[in-house]
Amino acid sequence: MPDVAHDAAALARPLDWVGMSNIAVPLRVAGPAGESIQVAASVDVSVNLLDPDARGIHMSRLYLELQHAFATEVVTPAGLRRVLQTLVDTQSGLSGAARLVLRYDQLLLRPALASGNAGWKRYPVEIDACLVDGHLKLALRFAVEYSSTCPASAALSRQLNADRFAEDFADARPLAGAIHDWLASERGLAATPHAQRSRADVRVELRPAFDELPLTALIDALEQALATPVQTAVKREDEQAFARLNAANLMFCEDAARRVAAVLSDDRRIERFDAEVAHFESLHAHDAVARVTGSGAPA
């Protein structure tokens, strides 16, 4: 059969990346206890084209290699390196670099705050792996959703509560004055109703010296730092506990960004990080956003 891919290129030049996007592939990833879990993934695959005169790459070889590349073992840095090198090898000297972008949802079982129940929570994940001249570059992108209550709004609410108390109990002096001051203080609001949903979008470039992808560990650390991750199973006692957490963690988007940065900058597995937090305002028609970049702890 004729193969026009072997014809000479009309406008000869090398190409940075050539490949396919959004390939459906089953993927094995580590579960919350380290067990192997199969998930549905969408994968982009590409290689560079070094020969300026070559019309194209062997694209079908990339597709066929992906069909079984992740079927039997959990995705790890070492496994990604092997697959990427195999993708380069399939091109018979046309390529010297390969790239994979894997997108899937990570499911983690999350306990309720007070009731003893639990539920599954979904985290969108993207793994960006690139092999150039034998050097692996690996990045993780994921998102964590949490609740945020505006500190300014909480202070204004406390003032209104205190003023109403002073108005309704004006004849109860002198005790009313002390209670008014207490209600106006941070101690006067032990809990706040659950407020605006918020999200931290994080991208970390990993150092190549680690055997596993630290996805669950990073998610856990960020949720602990933000303190108000959105919940799964919720009974009344859980909702009350969540309200207490919101009152204890009033946050502007700037506060949330600093909490995220503190976690990432203290992690020696991270080379660089880029994080954006967005508070989807319930007062305004726009969102409040903060972005922070930095480096992880020295290795």
Side-chain angles (χ1 to χ4, degrees):
M1 292 183 289
D3 187 357
V4 298
H6 291 296
D7 294 348
L11 299 171
R13 67 176 300 156
L15 297 174
D16 294 336
W17 297 109
V18 185
M20 294 160 283
S21 61
N22 296 318
I23 301 172
V25 172
L27 200 67
R28 290 204 169 273
V29 299
E35 73 278 21
S36 173
I37 296 177
Q38 188 174 69
V39 298
S42 173
V43 178
D44 302 344
V45 58
S46 54
V47 293
N48 62 348
L49 180 54
L50 296 174
D51 185 351
D53 295 315
R55 189 171 186 184
I57 65 167
H58 302 289
M59 199 168 291
S60 63
R61 297 179 186 178
L62 300 180
Y63 181 88
L64 293 173
E65 182 61 34
L66 280 182
Q67 295 310 298
H68 58 82
F70 302 106
T72 59
E73 63 179 59
V74 170
V75 175
T76 63
L80 286 167
R81 177 188 289 275
R82 287 195 300 272
V83 172
L84 288 165
Q85 185 60 59
T86 300
L87 295 175
V88 171
D89 294 341
T90 64
Q91 298 306 301
S92 304
L94 292 175
S95 304
R99 184 181 182 189
L100 284 170
V101 180
L102 303 90
R103 290 176 293 271
Y104 63 96
D105 286 338
Q106 178 77 52
L107 285 174
L108 296 177
L109 187 63
R110 293 314 204 191
L113 292 172
S115 66
N117 296 308
W120 290 96
K121 193 171 172 184
R122 181 173 56 202
Y123 300 85
V125 177
E126 181 181 286
I127 301 172
D128 190 341
C130 186
L131 188 70
V132 180
D133 296 328
H135 298 289
L136 178 66
K137 294 183 179 180
L138 191 58
L140 274 178
R141 188 188 296 272
F142 58 93
V144 170
E145 289 188 331
Y146 60 100
S147 176
S148 61
T149 301
C150 175
S153 180
L156 294 169
S157 299
R158 291 195 302 268
Q159 183 184 35
L160 287 176
N161 288 336
D163 290 347
R164 174 168 290 185
F165 175 85
E167 179 183 345
D168 290 352
F169 295 93
D171 297 331
R173 298 286 182 181
L175 181 60
I179 296 177
H180 173 277
D181 293 341
W182 183 85
L183 287 171
S185 72
E186 290 189 1
R187 292 287 298 170
L189 193 62
T192 60
H194 50 79
Q196 57 208 15
R197 184 179 294 184
S198 307
R199 186 179 69 230
D201 288 292
V202 176
R203 184 181 187 275
V204 296
E205 297 175 14
L206 298 174
R207 294 189 173 113
F210 296 93
D211 297 330
E212 298 178 353
L213 296 174
L215 176 63
T216 302
L218 289 174
I219 290 174
D220 288 344
L222 288 178
E223 288 194 338
Q224 182 176 359
L226 291 166
T228 54
V230 297
Q231 300 296 297
T232 54
V234 174
K235 302 289 284 185
R236 282 181 297 174
E237 57 267 38
D238 302 311
E239 187 165 355
Q240 186 179 64
F242 193 63
R244 184 181 294 112
L245 283 175
N246 271 274
N249 292 277
L250 304 175
M251 284 183 286
F252 293 121
C253 64
E254 297 93 330
D255 300 318
R258 292 186 179 105
R259 291 190 185 195
V260 170
V263 170
L264 301 177
S265 62
D266 195 42
D267 197 314
R268 64 189 183 92
R269 295 168 296 194
I270 295 173
E271 183 70 37
R272 293 282 303 168
F273 66 83
D274 186 325
E276 180 179 283
V277 299
H279 289 186
F280 307 126
E281 293 267 350
S282 56
L283 171 63
H284 303 289
H286 54 263
D287 302 330
V289 178
R291 186 173 179 179
V292 61
T293 61
S295 303

